[in-house]
């Protein structure tokens, strides 16, 4: 069996809203994305389908590094506007009982004490189903919103993230097991000898502790992360419970998994401690032929002006806002473009340029993918069988599906693909456990 995760890639932000770009199934998203309904419906569907978790992306900026203006960001709604995901978590939890909910937290936005207290509170409110997607933030604009002049260098911010997690964990460990007595007979709530300061002192963060709330059902909150660079993988190996990986081929997936397993062993942990979920954008339809037509239409649409604009914008974002791909002549050969100034998502930028040598920027914008369908195109049965084959070859642990959340596409995955996977015994049929940690560790 393998895990399924859902990547809510626009966070609690504007969801597919423009019929000319997103197709005719956008419903009332253009005005209702700020309301809880779509996310609550999504979570409900994911639980019915047996997903292990939903990951809620988050970023905190209105990007204006593309062509030196926020015009494209705001006209198109790219990564802005966006609400804070944290208040959404209890609403998503309320209609469900098992599926994990993993909101993103940035190590430059949240002090460890604030994060430890917030996530422990969410752990209580969700009955032990919350996880934290730890990111370091990508662009200078985010850093500037939090008082920095520009973002730290890539590797430096991963060192900061390591320390951030250590501090959060130290705070989450300030209440020993058995510290809460809740003894009404003798009038003793907690045993103060079992509650200790953390006295954490680091280069970036210090916190005294103890945490002023009691441990939640999971104690230490499961950690998710996505950094594919060496420091990103090290972070997962040292502290992660699940990692999301962008790979384009089965060979890449196998190599990624072997690399993370070796790092885990070097950290004295077991390979099974981190569940590796591979990003995929499956294209599912009623028949193989219908899915092929859909996939071909999607491929061709990538050459449209709107899609090229998006891809150039995304490349600029991915560089940390340091390279303005909107300012480069579209006929420039890709091989002449210097990406060394990039300070954002290192592995994502490398992914975009992978295999693009010999093309122009215009061709690359139409043809390069950060995340691919991994050949998962077809009817629910065809795609389910293919997912099974890939997992057989890779060895595990599952997929993080990145599908735009229109209700039609949610249904294709949760009411079409998931039942086909379940019939094959490839995904869970109901949940044995209630906490995210247990559900992650089950297989
Ligand atoms: C599935 C997935 C989810 C991510 N979510 C966020 C996010 O919510 N916020 C954010 O700032 N970065 C996010 N990132 C970016 C990663 O944290 C990281 O910066 C990126 O994957 C590049 O890592 P690298 O520089 O180690 O290669 C995400 C990446 C992936 C693949």
């Amino acid at each position: 069996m393998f895990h399924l995760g859902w990547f809510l890639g626009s966070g609690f932000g504007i969801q597919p809203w423009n019929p000319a770009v997103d197709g005719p199934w956008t419903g009332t998203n253009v005005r209702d994305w700020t309301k809880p309904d779509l996310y609550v419906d999504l979570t409900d569907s994911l639980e019915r389908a047996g997903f292990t978790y939903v990951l809620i992306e988050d970023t905190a900026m209105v990007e204006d590094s593309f062509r030196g203006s926020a015009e494209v960001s705001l006209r198109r709604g790219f990564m802005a506007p966006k609400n804070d995901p944290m208040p959404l978590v209890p609403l998503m939890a309320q209609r469900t009982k098992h599926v994990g909910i993993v909101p993103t937290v940035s190590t430059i936005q949240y002090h460890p004490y604030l994060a430890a207290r917030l996530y422990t509170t969410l752990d209580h409110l969700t009955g032990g189903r919350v996880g934290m997607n730890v990111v370091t933030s990508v662009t200078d604009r985010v850093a500037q919103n939090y008082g920095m002049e520009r973002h730290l260098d890539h590797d430096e911010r991963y060192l900061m993230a390591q320390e951030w997690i250590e501090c959060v964990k130290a705070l989450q460990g300030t209440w020993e097991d058995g510290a809460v007595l809740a003894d009404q007979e003798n009038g003793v709530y907690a045993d103060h000898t079992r509650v200790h300061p953390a006295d954490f002192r680091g280069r970036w963060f210090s916190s005294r502790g103890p945490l002023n709330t009691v441990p939640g059902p999971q104690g230490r909150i499961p950690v998710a992360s996505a950094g594919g660079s060496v420091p990103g993988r090290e972070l997962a190996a040292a502290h992660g419970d699940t990692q999301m990986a962008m790979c384009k081929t089965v060979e890449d997936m196998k190599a990624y998994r072997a690399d993370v397993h070796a790092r885990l062993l070097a950290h004295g942990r077991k390979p099974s401690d981190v569940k590796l979920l591979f990003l995929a954008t499956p294209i599912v339809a009623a028949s193989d032929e219908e899915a092929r037509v859909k996939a071909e239409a999607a491929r061709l649409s990538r050459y449209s002006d709107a899609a090229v604009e998006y891809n150039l914008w995304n490349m600029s974002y991915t560089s940390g806002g340091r390279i303005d791909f909107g300012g480069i002549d579209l006929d420039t050969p890709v091989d002449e473009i210097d990406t060394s100034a990039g300070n954002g998502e290192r592995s994502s930028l490398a992914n975009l340029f992978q295999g693009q040598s010999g093309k122009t920027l215009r061709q690359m914008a139409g043809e390069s993918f950060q995340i691919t369908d991994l050949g998962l195109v077809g009817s629910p049965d065809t795609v389910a069988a293919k997912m099974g084959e890939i997992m057989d070859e890779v060895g595990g642990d599952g997929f993080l599906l990145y599908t735009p959340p229109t209700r039609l596409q949610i249904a294709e995955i949760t009411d079409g693909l998931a039942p086909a996977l379940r019939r094959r015994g490839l995904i869970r049929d109901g949940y044995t456990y209630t906490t995210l940690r247990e559900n992650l560790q089950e297989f």
Side-chain angles (χ1 to χ4, degrees):
M1 264 203 289
F2 56 77
H3 294 272
L4 287 183
W6 181 284
F7 182 38
L8 186 57
S10 304
F12 185 5
I14 190 161
Q15 302 302 337
W17 64 276
N18 180 0
V21 175
D22 302 311
W25 312 103
T26 56
T28 58
N29 286 355
V30 69
R31 62 159 203 265
D32 288 341
W33 69 269
T34 54
K35 302 199 173 93
D37 306 59
L38 176 67
Y39 316 97
V40 172
D41 288 352
L42 168 68
T43 316
D44 201 24
S45 295
L46 296 177
E47 179 154 299
R48 185 171 64 249
F51 275 62
T52 301
Y53 61 77
V54 49
L55 186 91
I56 313 173
E57 181 267 3
D58 189 45
T59 45
M61 77 285 147
V62 176
E63 203 54 39
D64 64 359
S65 49
F66 186 74
R67 296 187 186 136
S69 159
E71 192 270 329
V72 175
S73 303
L74 293 179
R75 172 167 50 80
R76 301 283 306 272
F78 291 156
M79 287 191 143
K82 193 169 289 181
N83 284 334
D84 191 315
M86 302 299 179
L88 200 51
V89 176
L91 298 169
M92 292 163 85
Q94 203 161 23
R95 221 164 75 195
T96 50
K97 289 195 167 60
H98 301 281
V99 65
I101 304 171
V102 185
T104 293
V105 59
S106 166
T107 54
I108 64 164
Q109 294 173 217
Y110 284 75
H111 187 277
Y113 190 92
L114 176 61
R117 186 171 184 233
L118 173 58
Y119 275 89
T120 298
T121 306
L122 289 173
D123 204 34
H124 288 292
L125 291 173
T126 60
R129 289 192 280 141
V130 75
M132 49 185 187
N133 178 36
V134 178
V135 303
T136 61
S137 289
V138 175
T139 70
D140 291 329
R141 292 293 177 261
V142 183
Q144 287 160 349
N145 285 342
Y146 289 84
M148 299 162 73
E149 289 219 345
R150 60 195 326 226
H151 207 345
L152 298 169
D153 282 343
H154 181 273
D155 291 6
E156 182 92 339
R157 61 184 191 246
Y158 271 113
L159 291 177
M160 180 182 177
Q162 289 270 6
E163 187 183 295
W164 186 94
I165 297 182
E166 282 158 21
C167 188
V168 168
K169 285 189 167 173
L171 287 164
Q172 287 170 348
T174 51
W175 289 61
E176 284 177 27
D177 286 348
V180 176
L181 302 173
D183 178 352
Q184 291 178 311
E185 223 165 276
N186 296 300
V188 184
Y189 180 71
D191 174 357
H192 78 283
T193 66
R194 294 186 179 187
V195 182
H196 312 283
D199 280 331
F200 187 93
R201 285 194 184 284
R203 182 174 156 204
W204 289 276
F205 304 108
S206 294
S207 184
R208 183 178 185 279
L211 211 55
N212 66 334
T213 182
V214 299
Q218 298 182 108
R220 292 195 167 93
I221 309 297
V223 171
S225 66
S229 60
V230 168
R233 294 180 195 203
E234 276 295 303
L235 187 81
H239 298 291
D241 296 283
T242 179
Q243 208 198 12
M244 299 75 71
M246 280 184 280
C247 293
K248 290 184 180 165
T249 64
V250 169
E251 286 315 306
D252 288 352
M253 291 162 82
K254 281 160 79 171
Y256 197 115
R257 196 158 184 267
D259 180 78
V260 170
H261 285 182
R263 290 178 197 279
L264 277 160
L265 291 171
H267 282 270
R269 302 179 67 201
K270 298 194 298 294
S272 60
D273 284 349
V274 171
K275 301 301 173 191
L276 208 52
L277 266 55
F278 295 96
L279 275 140
T281 53
I283 299 181
V284 185
S287 66
D288 288 351
E289 182 50 27
E290 219 178 285
R292 260 196 302 274
V293 170
K294 249 168 97 172
E296 181 59 10
R299 192 183 69 76
L300 291 175
S301 76
R302 291 177 57 85
Y303 295 96
S304 68
D305 290 348
V308 167
E309 185 178 61
Y310 169 72
N311 286 330
L312 293 173
W313 186 97
N314 184 49
M315 286 157 66
S316 299
Y317 171 80
T318 303
S319 77
R322 297 276 173 96
I323 306 169
D324 180 3
F325 286 92
I328 302 175
D329 185 337
L330 282 172
D331 293 320
T332 307
V334 164
D335 303 285
E336 287 175 16
I337 298 174
D338 179 8
T339 56
S340 59
N343 187 47
E345 301 188 10
R346 193 170 282 176
S347 48
S348 315
L349 197 61
N351 248 356
L352 283 165
F353 276 80
Q354 189 185 339
Q356 301 302 310
S357 183
K359 293 183 184 169
T360 63
L361 180 59
R362 186 195 311 276
Q363 287 170 315
M364 177 183 158
E367 290 164 21
S368 88
F369 288 85
Q370 222 164 319
I371 302 164
T372 73
D373 59 35
L374 293 172
L376 303 175
V377 178
S379 68
D381 276 318
T382 302
V383 172
K386 178 87 188 164
M387 287 170 84
E389 282 164 27
I390 292 176
M391 276 300 121
D392 278 348
E393 241 191 280
V394 174
D397 304 297
F399 295 93
L400 183 71
L401 303 186
Y402 187 11
T403 298
T406 64
R407 284 184 172 80
L408 175 69
Q409 280 166 298
I410 294 169
E412 284 171 348
I413 300 292
T414 60
D415 295 326
L417 177 59
L421 287 164
R422 202 174 309 120
R423 281 196 296 276
R424 287 173 163 71
L426 293 173
I427 60 166
R428 63 171 92 244
D429 184 9
Y431 298 81
T432 315
Y433 302 104
T434 53
T435 67
L436 172 60
R437 184 179 297 289
E438 289 168 308
N439 285 330
L440 270 173
Q441 278 305 317
E442 189 179 0
F443 45 85

